[in-house]
Amino acid sequence: MTDASDDASDDASDDVQQAIAGELSLTDPAVRSSRARFEPLFDPEFVEVGSSGRRYTYDEMPAWLPDNAGSSAGGPRYEPSAVTGVLLAPGLVHLTYETDFDGRRARRSSLWRKQSEETGWRMYYHQATPVPPEAG
């Protein structure tokens, strides 16, 4: 016998796992270099504050992402670690993790939202903060 709280916990875990899968796919050069593959992963209201401090919007991503570092099959890749997530509310997941990119570390935070079954989970907001070398 399964009670409702177990079902809710399973649903929350599934939602978090789906958001994590989307997040990790965005570290794959094959996805980053293909508008057809990355565009469905971004919410139309998407905003990012990159580790450089620059702000990016949904409309800017198709021009920026394919040519950005980490989008070339032969170049350096984003190496994520310690990825965790929590369901904040139905249709809203918060992820946190760290990346190493060619020796540069960043702490990252993303909000993923699901507005419908058709759209699925999409990245709504992303922020990256550089980790100075002296920080542990």
Side-chain angles (χ1 to χ4, degrees), residues 49-65:
V49 177
S51 60
S52 65
R54 182 171 174 211
R55 183 179 183 271
Y56 301 90
T57 65
Y58 177 83
D59 292 333
E60 295 169 308
M61 290 310 284
W64 178 82
L65 192 59

Side-chain angles (χ1 to χ4, degrees), residues 9 12 19 21 23 40 44 49 52 57 63 65 74 76 81 99 105 107 128 134 136:
S9 178
E23 186 85 37
V49 177
S52 65
T57 65
L65 192 59
S81 62
T99 56
R105 292 177 43 220
R107 293 192 175 105
E134 65 275 5

Side-chain angles (χ1 to χ4, degrees), residues 30-130:
V31 173
R32 294 172 68 82
S33 63
S34 169
R35 183 176 183 155
R37 293 182 69 186
F38 70 70
E39 198 168 54
L41 295 171
F42 290 106
D43 189 276
E45 296 178 33
F46 171 78
V47 174
E48 173 175 339
V49 177
S51 60
S52 65
R54 182 171 174 211
R55 183 179 183 271
Y56 301 90
T57 65
Y58 177 83
D59 292 333
E60 295 169 308
M61 290 310 284
W64 178 82
L65 192 59
D67 296 325
N68 187 5
S71 298
S72 169
R77 291 187 64 154
Y78 287 92
E79 300 295 335
S81 62
V83 181
T84 62
V86 63
L87 182 69
L88 297 177
L92 186 63
V93 169
H94 179 221
L95 302 179
T96 58
Y97 62 105
E98 288 195 16
T99 56
D100 184 295
F101 181 78
D102 204 23
R104 293 184 311 272
R105 292 177 43 220
R107 293 192 175 105
R108 298 180 178 272
S109 176
S110 296
L111 291 174
W112 285 74
R113 77 176 177 182
K114 182 178 181 181
Q115 293 186 301
S116 72
E117 289 300 321
E118 292 94 38
T119 63
W121 287 96
R122 293 178 173 178
M123 185 184 284
Y124 174 75
Y125 179 81
H126 183 78
Q127 174 126 12
T129 304

